[in-house]
Amino acid sequence: MCWPVAMLVMLTTCLAFVAMPARAQPMSRAEARQRAEKLAALGEKLFSDPRLSGSGKLACSTCHDPAHAFAPANALPVQFGGADMSEPGRRAVPSLKYLQAVPQFTQHYFESEDEADESIDNGPTGGLTWDGRADSGHAQALIPLLSPFEMANNAPNNVVYHAIEAGYGPELTEIYGKSIISDSDATFDALLKALEVYQQSWQTFYPYSSKYDAWLAGKTKLTPQEANGLKLFEDPEKGNCSSCHFSVRANDGTPPQFTDYGMIALAVPRNPAIPANADPAYHDLGLCGPLRTDFLGRSGYCGLFRTPTLRNVATRKSFFHNGIFHSLKDAVAFYATRDTDPGRWYPRRADGSIALYDDLPARYRNNINTDPPFGGHPGDAPKLNEREINNIVAFLGTLTDGWQPAHQVASP
């Protein structure tokens, strides 16, 4: 698996001149590799250091726990941060694994086997975070560092101050030269670059070490339940999961990423456990705000959130952008029964009627996805029954990294 290393070197070569003194010759491949290793090592330290936060108590790894696929270790729908660690977040914290192939955000994404065929516009696609507003690892890292309800630094200068006070000056000067410390903006950018390079470490962030990957390589077999779950996952008339969570290899042979990187409105129920939702006028509308501000008022984008990868989904304890569900089975069942059994998911009003799609204002409900297994009417038979839901959940369990066979199984 050489291509991730090459990509890391290429990334580091592109970053080589950031905050660097002018040099007569471009960096050699060996130098770029050495710099990549140093940046990744620095980024790993920064990622786990709470001293970079305003409170001195919150590190990147606090919410993106390496032992939990770089997602939260707890089941809280949002995490707490801020200057005194009492400020609640607005959204569930996503995993940082398998983000290496996420394209930059675009409003019009075209993809086909024939690169000349651009007949299908897949609409808003790509970008990091739930609303796609960051187009690179360092841009993504900037968000929590400066967020008032996360690491709560008032400005980049505060981050730099904390980093120097924490003793990172010598490592920064070793990588970038002595002049780096005299330029606060360059130092801040260097810190972000280190975090970005660390997250390009394929062994840690995209190892492709699940049972599913072993099955793809012919090294194990899926159980009958897992195999049936995969079949249902891909069946357009049943789970239809693979229509958004692609389960085929990329054209370059890369294993499936289990996402199309697109934006979709699922209309998950409003989560009263999120403090911001105590205000009935507050709605997290994803692509059209309020955290993303460049599409405010763009009604066709309201309620859309990026489709995450399903790799390591079985390790999560909260699901969807607002953490409304706490079991993978409930998450799958929601797709199957949102429209056929809405009373299972949405609250009832005082008059007994169901508050359907209660977290999305009525004027945006034309955006809601109705592809299978959604659709139908209350009382109709759902696309998936209980057994089929369990089988899909069993298959999703094969996407967890770090799988080790109990014994060697013959290739299928």
Side-chain angles (χ1 to χ4, degrees):
M1 198 171 194
C2 297
W3 68 268
V5 177
M7 185 170 71
L8 180 59
V9 172
M10 181 174 67
L11 171 66
T12 310
T13 302
C14 292
L15 303 179
F17 295 99
V18 175
M20 282 292 294
R23 49 186 292 154
Q25 298 295 328
M27 192 177 284
S28 70
R29 188 175 183 85
E31 289 174 321
R33 183 181 294 275
Q34 185 179 44
R35 166 132 327 144
E37 293 172 352
K38 290 180 179 179
L39 279 170
L42 173 59
E44 183 174 14
K45 291 180 182 178
L46 294 170
F47 191 86
S48 300
D49 197 335
R51 293 175 294 178
L52 296 185
S53 66
S55 67
K57 298 178 180 179
L58 187 71
C60 301
S61 60
T62 306
C63 299
H64 298 286
D65 188 338
H68 291 81
F70 289 89
N74 59 51
L76 294 174
V78 296
Q79 304 301 306
F80 284 79
D84 60 359
M85 294 296 289
S86 66
E87 290 292 324
R90 302 294 186 270
R91 294 176 182 160
V93 174
S95 169
L96 293 181
K97 298 194 79 170
Y98 295 96
L99 299 180
Q100 80 284 357
V102 178
Q104 290 192 343
F105 176 80
T106 178
Q107 295 185 64
H108 304 284
Y109 183 72
F110 299 92
E111 181 181 54
S112 68
E113 291 297 322
D114 180 0
E115 294 299 329
D117 177 13
E118 294 191 349
S119 59
I120 300 176
D121 183 354
N122 293 287
T125 301
L128 303 173
T129 74
W130 283 107
D131 55 25
R133 70 188 188 277
D135 274 337
S136 65
H138 65 274
Q140 181 188 39
L142 182 149
I143 294 173
L145 283 168
L146 301 183
S147 168
F149 48 82
E150 294 182 71
M151 298 179 81
N153 288 289
N154 294 326
N157 286 348
N158 296 115
V159 181
V160 172
Y161 173 79
H162 292 319
I164 299 303
E165 284 292 298
Y168 290 108
E171 288 174 83
L172 287 165
T173 56
E174 180 184 357
I175 297 170
Y176 289 103
K178 293 182 179 179
S179 63
I180 187 72
I181 303 302
S182 62
D183 187 334
S184 181
D185 290 341
T187 302
F188 181 64
D189 199 43
L191 294 168
L192 297 179
K193 298 298 184 186
L195 288 166
E196 180 178 29
V197 173
Y198 168 55
Q199 291 175 62
Q200 291 293 332
S201 303
W202 70 266
Q203 299 97 325
T204 301
F205 287 92
Y206 44 106
Y208 298 105
S209 59
S210 69
K211 181 179 181 180
Y212 178 80
D213 294 303
W215 175 75
L216 280 182
K219 296 179 180 179
T220 191
K221 293 180 179 180
L222 300 180
T223 67
Q225 184 184 31
E226 292 164 349
N228 181 254
L230 173 57
K231 182 179 179 180
L232 293 164
F233 184 93
E234 296 180 332
D235 188 335
E237 297 302 320
K238 298 294 288 183
N240 197 33
C241 314
S242 61
S243 64
C244 293
H245 298 281
F246 289 173
S247 58
V248 296
R249 289 181 180 273
N251 291 336
D252 64 0
T254 305
Q257 302 301 300
F258 289 93
T259 176
D260 65 353
Y261 313 111
M263 299 283 179
I264 190 170
L266 301 178
V268 295
R270 190 173 180 86
N271 191 347
I274 296 178
N277 284 343
D279 178 359
Y282 176 83
H283 290 91
D284 185 354
L285 299 176
L287 189 51
C288 84
L291 297 184
R292 180 165 188 160
T293 59
D294 52 339
F295 294 125
L296 291 175
R298 184 75 171 265
S299 61
Y301 287 176
C302 293
L304 275 63
F305 294 86
R306 188 169 63 79
T307 302
T309 177
L310 293 182
R311 285 181 172 273
N312 296 293
V313 68
T315 68
R316 292 194 63 84
K317 297 182 179 182
S318 291
F319 298 87
F320 298 111
H321 73 275
N322 64 357
I324 184 63
F325 301 132
H326 299 288
S327 80
L328 184 53
K329 182 176 180 179
D330 278 348
V332 176
F334 172 75
Y335 282 87
T337 61
R338 182 195 71 186
D339 299 322
T340 59
D341 187 12
R344 178 177 176 180
W345 308 110
Y346 298 103
R348 291 189 179 272
R349 302 184 182 94
D351 63 3
S353 62
I354 299 171
L356 195 64
Y357 312 139
D358 65 327
D359 204 26
L360 189 63
R363 61 188 179 276
Y364 305 132
R365 291 178 186 171
N366 286 338
N367 299 338
I368 297 174
N369 184 274
T370 57
D371 293 338
F374 294 129
H377 301 89
D380 289 349
K383 295 287 186 181
L384 298 168
N385 60 35
E386 190 82 359
R387 178 184 61 81
E388 291 170 330
I389 290 170
N390 287 334
N391 289 355
I392 290 177
V393 170
F395 164 67
L396 294 175
T398 71
L399 303 181
T400 301
D401 285 327
W403 177 79
Q404 295 291 334
H407 55 83
Q408 192 66 32
V409 180
S411 300

